Amino acid sequence: MADAFPMNLEDQIAQIREDGFCILEGVIPGEDVDRVRQSVEATVEEHCSKSPPENVGFVPSLIVHDQSFATYLADERLLGIAEAMLGKHIRISFTSAIINLTGNKRGDWHADWPFNQRNAGHFPEPYPNIVAHLTSLWMLSPFTSENGGTLIFPGSHLLNCNPTGTHEHPPAAPLPDEIHVTGSAGSVVVMDSRLWHAASPNRTDHPRTALAVRFAPWWLNVNVLMPGSEDRKRIEDESGKIENIVPAVPKNVFDGLPEKVKPLYLHWVREAGEG
């Protein structure tokens, strides 16, 4: 496996292409990460989704409620990877808070949208060998094997299916080559969204706090994630499946974002009362 901490863009991209992931250290500086973590934890406590898995705190479209991390979304290393792999005019598709609380259960192996076959909108299996979406997990607390550092199966992004679809591996069963994503608070793991990954149990007394920020190319239709959109209604009605919900970003929230970050959310802005 390639070095877990590549030093330049070329090496980072090579590792993602080979292993499915790379880790960027210090995206949120050490002197600021506690502030961001505390803000996100407070936001999750106030706005937690009503139906997350047991002992998991989750808030979709976190940026609507909390902009404490917004300036770091324009990190040059992160956007450099996204643009190199997805092309110019990238967009943020998801900004979620995910907190593994003490006692959460191990999750099922899956690939993220649009490769998760349980979603209404997805690339059908066998899906093409194309980088169409990137997932980044932001470590607001240190990720360890004890506190629920995400489980990944390196190299699985090169398969054309995953356990949400036709692959026969039992979704909750361990794999011999699985590893935990580990790193210091403020680091970010960037993954090809095809990479198999799963929630890991938190066996400590402290929450493992993270952000999931996902990036899409301009050509990938993210309207299916938008509540009330015609694309969403059609795909859910015709497939009989449900889709992720990513609430719109209000105009007043968008106006307060850093200038370098605004282009990443422009497609997600709605005026008050607009569907």
Side-chain angles (χ1 to χ4, degrees), residues 106-127:
R106 178 181 174 123
D108 289 349
W109 291 110
H110 64 282
D112 276 345
W113 186 91
F115 299 100
N116 189 319
Q117 303 299 294
R118 298 186 185 122
N119 289 132
H122 62 269
F123 281 111
E125 293 179 343
Y127 46 70

Side-chain angles (χ1 to χ4, degrees), residues 116-122 232 235-236 239 241-243:
N116 189 319
Q117 303 299 294
R118 298 186 185 122
N119 289 132
H122 62 269
R232 179 186 185 87
I235 290 175
E236 285 192 327
S239 69
K241 297 181 177 182
I242 61 173
E243 188 50 86

Side-chain angles (χ1 to χ4, degrees), residues 37 81 92 170 195 235 243 270:
R37 177 184 55 77
I81 291 172
I92 287 179
L195 187 72
I235 290 175
E243 188 50 86
R270 297 292 186 274

Side-chain angles (χ1 to χ4, degrees), residues 35 47 72 95 105 173 186 202:
R35 175 190 65 83
H47 297 283
Y72 302 114
T95 315
K105 296 180 180 179
N202 182 354

Side-chain angles (χ1 to χ4, degrees), residues 93-94 113:
S93 50
F94 297 77
W113 186 91

